[in-house]
C-alpha cells in the first residue's frame, strides 16, 4: 500500500521503489534457500538479482553455493552457477580498467574535452567514477542517495566524478539539473561503445570504479553503497 501511495504522488521514484522491493525479495529468497534442503532444483536461485542487489553480496552467494552437496556443485548445472559466480566475482576486482583510462575521453557541460587520466591531477588519495545515464532509474536513485550523504564525505581525500553514457546530451544536462549532483559530471565519449565501458561494465549500469591516486583500481561494483564503505568520511557512518 505504501509503495502504491508513493508512486502515485511521486512517480519519479517508482523505479527506485521497484528495485528496493526486488532487493527485499532477494533477502527473503536467500533466507528461504538457507533453510531449504539443498537440492539441484534450487541451485540456480543463488544467482537471482546478482547484478543489482545491495543486500546480498557475492560472498554470501558463494558461501551458500558451498553448502550444496558436492555432486550438485560439480553437476552440469552446478558448474554453470559456479562459473557465473566466479565471473561476477572477477568483475568486482578488475585489473583491466587501468589501461583504458589513458584511452578514454570525457566531455564537460560546456563542451570542453579532457583525457580521463588527466582527472588524476588534484591532491586526492582516491577517485570514484560513477558510471550511469539519465534514462537509468537505478543510476538516478544512486544520485539522490549520494546527494543525501555528500556532506558527510571527506572530499579533501576523495574526488567523485560522474560519467554518463548518454547519447542525448540535452537529456544528460536535464538529468543533472533535476538531480542537482554535488560532484563533477562528464559525458563519456563513445558512451557504451567506449573501451572503458565495454571492457569493464559487463552487467550494465549503474557501475562504479574506485581508484587510488596512482591510477590503480581498488574496487568496483554495481552497488555504490558497498563502495561507500571504503571511502573516507568526516565522521563514522554505517551504510546498510
Amino acid at each position: 500500500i505504501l509503495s502504491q501511495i508513493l508512486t502515485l504522488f511521486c512517480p519519479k521514484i517508482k523505479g527506485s521503489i521497484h528495485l528496493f522491493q526486488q532487493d527485499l525479495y532477494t533477502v527473503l529468497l536467500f533466507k528461504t534457500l538457507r533453510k531449504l534442503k539443498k537440492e539441484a532444483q534450487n541451485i540456480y536461485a543463488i544467482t537471482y538479482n546478482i547484478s543489482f542487489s545491495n543486500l546480498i553480496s557475492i560472498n554470501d552467494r558463494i558461501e551458500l553455493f558451498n553448502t550444496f552437496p558436492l555432486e550438485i556443485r560439480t553437476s552440469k548445472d552446478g558448474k554453470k552457477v559456479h562459473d557465473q559466480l566466479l565471473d561476477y566475482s572477477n568483475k568486482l576486482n578488475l585489473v583491466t580498467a587501468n589501461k583504458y583510462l589513458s584511452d578514454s575521453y570525457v566531455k564537460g557541460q560546456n563542451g570542453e574535452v579532457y583525457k580521463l587520466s588527466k582527472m588524476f591531477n588534484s591532491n586526492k588519495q582516491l577517485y570514484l567514477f560513477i558510471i550511469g545515464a539519465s534514462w537509468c532509474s537505478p543510476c538516478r536513485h544512486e544520485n539522490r542517495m549520494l546527494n543525501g550523504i555528500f556532506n558527510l564525505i571527506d572530499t579533501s581525500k576523495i574526488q567523485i566524478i560522474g560519467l554518463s553514457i548518454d547519447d542525448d546530451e540535452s537529456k544528460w544536462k536535464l538529468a543533472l539539473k533535476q538531480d542537482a549532483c554535488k560532484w563533477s559530471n562528464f559525458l563519456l565519449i563513445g558512451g557504451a561503445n567506449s573501451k572503458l565501458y565495454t571492457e569493464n561494465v559487463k552487467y550494465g549500469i549503474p557501475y562504479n570504479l574506485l581508484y587510488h591516486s596512482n591510477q590503480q583500481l581498488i574496487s568496483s561494483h554495481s552497488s555504490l553503497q558497498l563502495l561507500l564503505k571504503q571511502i573516507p568520511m568526516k565522521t563514522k557512518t554505517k551504510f546498510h
Side-chain angles (χ1 to χ4, degrees), residues 64-121:
L64 180 59
F65 176 83
N66 288 332
T67 65
F68 279 73
L70 179 62
E71 60 268 23
I72 295 178
R73 284 184 279 139
T74 56
S75 68
K76 182 179 179 180
D77 289 336
K79 288 179 179 178
K80 284 184 179 179
V81 172
H82 175 268
D83 289 345
Q84 187 173 351
L85 293 173
L86 183 62
D87 180 60
Y88 190 72
S89 179
N90 288 337
K91 297 301 185 301
L92 303 185
N93 297 283
L94 297 169
V95 294
T96 59
N98 304 333
K99 65 180 181 180
Y100 295 110
L101 287 173
S102 59
D103 298 329
S104 300
Y105 290 82
V106 296
K107 184 178 181 181
Q109 296 182 57
N110 296 319
E112 64 278 22
V113 175
Y114 305 97
K115 183 175 285 190
L116 189 58
S117 59
K118 296 297 183 181
M119 296 291 172
F120 294 83
N121 60 0

Side-chain angles (χ1 to χ4, degrees), residues 102-167:
S102 59
D103 298 329
S104 300
Y105 290 82
V106 296
K107 184 178 181 181
Q109 296 182 57
N110 296 319
E112 64 278 22
V113 175
Y114 305 97
K115 183 175 285 190
L116 189 58
S117 59
K118 296 297 183 181
M119 296 291 172
F120 294 83
N121 60 0
S122 58
N123 188 26
K124 310 286 184 180
Q125 298 174 7
L126 301 171
Y127 294 81
L128 175 63
F129 293 95
I130 302 173
I131 304 175
S134 65
W135 43 262
C136 169
S137 179
C139 304
R140 304 291 294 276
H141 170 69
E142 284 200 343
N143 285 347
R144 292 188 287 271
M145 182 273 294
L146 185 56
N147 262 335
I149 63 153
F150 190 80
N151 292 335
L152 300 176
I153 297 173
D154 189 347
T155 53
S156 68
K157 298 178 180 178
I158 184 169
Q159 180 76 36
I160 299 177
I161 299 168
L163 299 177
S164 174
I165 62 170
D166 270 280
D167 292 324

